[in-house]
Amino acid sequence: MRAVVLVGGEGTRLRPLTETIKKELLPLMDRAVLHHTLDHLSRHGVHEVILSSSYLEDTFRSFIEARRGDPTITWITETEPLGTGGAIVNALSSVGTGEPFLALNGDIVTDLDVTAMVATHRTRGAAATIALAHVDDARAFGLVATQADGRVLEFREKPQEQVPGDINAGTYVLEPSALSRWEPPGSLSIERDVFPALIADGLPIYGFSSDAYWIDLGTPEKYLQAHFDMLDGKVGSAPHYATPFVADSAAVHDGARLGRRAVVCAGARVERDAVVEDSVVHPHAVVEEGATVRRSILGPRSRVGGGAVVNRSVLAEGAAVPAGVALDEARVSAGQVAASTERTGAPGRMG
Ligand code: GTP
């Protein structure tokens, strides 16, 4: 089976991390998000994957070159961002016409039973099957309304109030013939253009409900939550990770304190008397002596100076927080030095 994995979004909500790193290539525990996705697909019999993006495509080259084994990867460069629907239509020539195929957002973490979803799609004779996730608060998503047998009635706009409901989980089984009316390359949204048009034409579009783990990595909060859930063993398809998670090549001083929901990636360093809680420390980032990091993401090669306090903040690649500075809910761009908003008064050394 083949799958189109969408990796061409700008990831604006995850800035400044995504200033230099594609959302799908951000580390998730011990490897890039996309590795987890491809491994999951491989376990479900997907042996050929098509990746497409118009944006930061160079950064995918080294990923593809370094990736070994199943599935094989075909790369498509979009001349301009085509949107989620346009990118899928644009990939049809690589997908082939005979068989149903999978299409999925590359920014989701799920242990969805893809095999069962494809089987259900075939049994129902569906033109498209959409994985649904049940959420308690649908305000950030559009709702998908289905009838009792799972047939999709409509896509609804984001609700104003906090209501529970089924949302589009960003994984689809699609019949190529259902998409033949659209000429590539054109910009289309799968939710706003493609599915509503197919429903209006009376094609059999079904939802696939399950109790699978599902999260989209759209925001820093959700990116952190995905790590916490992996540490808590909530993602069925993920390996077991020790808590806190410290990569083999990371260096954590015996006198540093890591909370159980701390993730310290390869080559990162946490020095004496530093505290890291509920946070992800990316490869080769450094938390210097006596610094405290809570509920934050420290991008690759970023640096938190001695005695600094970083709370609910995101440092992009190569960003720095000077010694002794306190940061709360800050976003520091790639290669920038955080403005000193408040001094902690804690002893620190310049690094
Ligand atoms: P935000 O800017 O934060 O909304 O991020 P995004 O554009 O990545 O967001 P969205 O959640 O809409 O995208 C869902 C998935 O589709 C992500 O994996 C994106 O990388 C991907 N995607 C979005 N737009 C495009 C596009 O134009 N082309 C391709 N190939 N993929 C896209």
Side-chain angles (χ1 to χ4, degrees), residues 2-64:
R2 292 185 176 135
V4 177
V5 181
L6 300 172
V7 295
E10 281 193 49
T12 48
R13 290 164 299 152
L14 257 179
R15 283 185 192 151
L17 287 175
T18 45
E19 287 171 351
T20 56
I21 309 169
K22 280 288 306 165
K23 181 161 49 171
E24 298 81 4
L25 297 181
L26 286 171
L28 177 59
M29 305 298 297
D30 55 344
R31 59 221 152 97
V33 171
L34 193 51
H35 277 306
H36 292 270
T37 307
L38 297 184
D39 291 348
H40 181 56
L41 289 173
S42 168
R43 284 192 291 272
H44 283 280
V46 175
H47 303 305
E48 291 179 64
V49 160
I50 296 121
L51 300 178
S52 77
S53 172
S54 64
Y55 171 73
L56 282 183
E57 57 171 284
D58 282 350
T59 62
F60 282 103
R61 198 161 298 138
S62 46
F63 173 91
I64 293 170

Side-chain angles (χ1 to χ4, degrees), residues 131-258:
L132 301 178
H134 192 80
V135 295
D136 294 331
D137 180 1
R139 276 176 297 182
F141 311 92
L143 285 164
V144 182
T146 51
Q147 55 187 40
D149 65 353
R151 190 155 175 163
V152 177
L153 296 168
E154 63 170 343
F155 278 72
R156 295 192 181 135
E157 292 295 314
K158 294 175 183 176
Q160 303 282 313
E161 272 120 50
Q162 183 176 338
V163 286
D166 288 335
I167 59 151
N168 170 10
T171 299
Y172 320 106
V173 186
L174 300 166
E175 295 296 323
S177 57
L179 305 176
S180 59
R181 70 184 72 185
W182 287 285
E183 280 289 323
S187 178
L188 291 166
S189 156
I190 190 97
E191 265 187 316
R192 288 190 302 278
D193 302 314
V194 175
F195 288 136
L198 299 181
I199 293 165
D201 279 6
L203 267 72
I205 312 298
Y206 282 89
F208 180 78
S209 301
S210 72
D211 57 3
Y213 174 85
W214 177 86
I215 197 166
D216 77 281
L217 302 171
T219 62
E221 293 72 26
K222 288 190 184 169
Y223 175 76
L224 280 178
Q225 190 62 47
H227 285 83
F228 302 159
D229 291 342
M230 281 205 167
L231 290 170
D232 289 342
K234 290 184 181 167
V235 189
S237 56
H240 170 77
Y241 293 106
T243 53
F245 174 76
V246 179
D248 288 344
S249 60
V252 177
H253 192 281
D254 285 346
R257 190 159 59 76
L258 301 185

